[in-house]
Amino acid sequence: MTLRPSYRRAPAERRQALIDATARSLARHGAGGVSVRTIAAEAGVSPGLVTHHFEGVEPLIAATYRQVSERVGEALAAAVEAAGTDPRARLAAYVVGNFLPPVMDEELLGTWLGLLGLTKSMPLVSAAHAESYAGFRMAMERLLADCGGKGDHRLEAVAITALVDGLWLELCLDRSVFSAEEAAVLARRWIDALLA
């Protein structure tokens, strides 16, 4: 019997392949169409391998949520570092980075919508969501604190996160309404008014 290449991978590589397959499966099939079978088919492995590495679909989807969030966070952190030392430029880079690749990506939209759709029905996915968004808000709070100001940085971070999420979602859904550049301008104006 010939084994598929994925069976010969190290356990960490197998887990990663399953997480990647889950993200693709969510992007293609949405929350309602993702299962151990669809993920296994996407990864080219048997369903038993999914449950062997993750004890079921919910822990796998939660791990996928954390990793997708981590990748977004890394892209935004890189944008901040590239912006230099000016606190406002760093804050703007964090926000505007949401409207640029790799964060501005149609497949990521499908994956993200699938993940969000499962937060109410899967407690582990809900916990991953809470952790991820707390991390994004804390990063925003730190950037806001670096800019000074006397406002409530926690609430300001909530507001900016909501603005970015809304612009990102609408831009991903229909780029004919406004561009990434216009989204960045809108976000910068809102932040400038907030920090004035």
Side-chain angles (χ1 to χ4, degrees), residues 87-88 91 94 133-162 190-191 194-196:
R88 283 195 182 214
L91 176 61
Y94 187 87
Y133 268 73
F136 290 132
R137 286 190 307 270
M138 285 175 29
M140 184 76 69
E141 282 183 56
R142 285 192 298 272
L143 291 165
L144 284 161
D146 290 346
C147 290
K150 298 173 185 145
D152 181 338
H153 299 314
R154 183 185 66 83
L155 287 178
E156 291 169 345
V158 168
I160 294 169
T161 300
W190 201 87
I191 291 168
L194 188 69
L195 295 175

